[in-house]
Amino acid sequence: MSYSLILSGHYDRDPGLDKYLLALIHSDRGHVNQWSCTSSHVNGQKSGSQHVKGGLIPPTYHCKGLLQYAVDLTPLDLTHQAGVRGSFYKITPFEVLTINGTKRGDFGVHLDANAPGSLGCIVMDWHNFKDFESQMAHLRKAEEVKRVALHCFYS
């Protein structure tokens, strides 16, 4: 994979829902694009919440046997789902086991279409998500990219 998505943020430092950055990086061309996003909800962004259902998407080193996440660039149509209301870019694997023994999963990248935040998915406002969708469609159609590696980092 010549592209990678990097989710970067910090554990709960600010009052309310903290924002993160999702950056698209190419191995030869460098930083291609970035979007403001978040993961989890106002009470799920603390250190350790990656081990709790609904908390931050856990980084790979907090999971048993997980080397890498990937984002599938063929979106699922979840317009019927209240928190999504549109395209859902599935993050694989479907389920992971954290080093604390918690099963987490069903992660994706989608529009933040309901109450602010998510249950671990990476969510964006309408402006950022439309740009993300456009970029993913370009990669899928023009460059025939099927999936992009995802790396999650919190400080």
Side-chain angles (χ1 to χ4, degrees), residues 13 16 33-34 49 62-63 67 75 107 110 120 143-144 147:
R13 290 187 188 163
N33 205 341
Q34 67 184 35
S49 67
H62 282 228
C63 297
L67 299 177
F107 300 123
H110 62 86
E143 299 189 40
E144 299 181 358
R147 64 184 45 89

Side-chain angles (χ1 to χ4, degrees), residues 2-3 5 9 11 16 33 42 55 66 68 88 107 117 138 148 154:
S2 55
Y3 286 98
L5 286 164
Y11 294 113
N33 205 341
V42 72
L66 179 61
Q68 181 173 290
F88 181 89
F107 300 123
H138 171 77
V148 175
Y154 311 107

Side-chain angles (χ1 to χ4, degrees), residues 3-136:
Y3 286 98
S4 291
L5 286 164
I6 309 290
L7 174 67
S8 178
H10 51 77
Y11 294 113
D12 192 23
R13 290 187 188 163
D14 302 319
L17 189 63
D18 289 349
K19 293 289 185 182
Y20 300 129
L21 186 66
L22 183 65
L24 179 65
I25 308 297
H26 187 273
S27 58
D28 297 325
R29 294 183 292 224
H31 193 142
V32 177
N33 205 341
Q34 67 184 35
W35 304 275
S36 178
C37 64
T38 196
S39 179
S40 192
H41 49 84
V42 72
N43 295 314
Q45 295 181 321
K46 295 172 180 52
S47 180
S49 67
Q50 65 273 24
H51 301 291
V52 177
K53 288 185 181 189
L56 295 167
I57 184 171
T60 55
Y61 70 95
H62 282 228
C63 297
K64 293 181 179 178
L66 179 61
L67 299 177
Q68 181 173 290
Y69 288 109
V71 177
D72 188 340
L73 298 192
T74 302
L76 302 173
D77 181 6
L78 294 185
T79 52
H80 63 282
Q81 194 81 6
V84 179
R85 297 281 184 229
S87 296
F88 181 89
Y89 292 83
K90 180 175 57 174
I91 296 172
T92 57
F94 174 77
E95 187 175 80
V96 298
L97 186 64
T98 71
I99 56 175
N100 287 9
T102 305
K103 286 184 183 177
R104 300 287 314 279
D106 203 11
F107 300 123
V109 181
H110 62 86
L111 176 67
D112 193 356
N114 199 4
S118 71
L119 294 177
C121 290
I122 299 169
V123 294
M124 300 174 201
D125 65 18
W126 186 87
H127 174 77
N128 282 279
F129 188 67
K130 288 301 167 195
D131 188 57
F132 174 83
E133 273 201 300
S134 175
Q135 182 78 63
M136 296 306 109

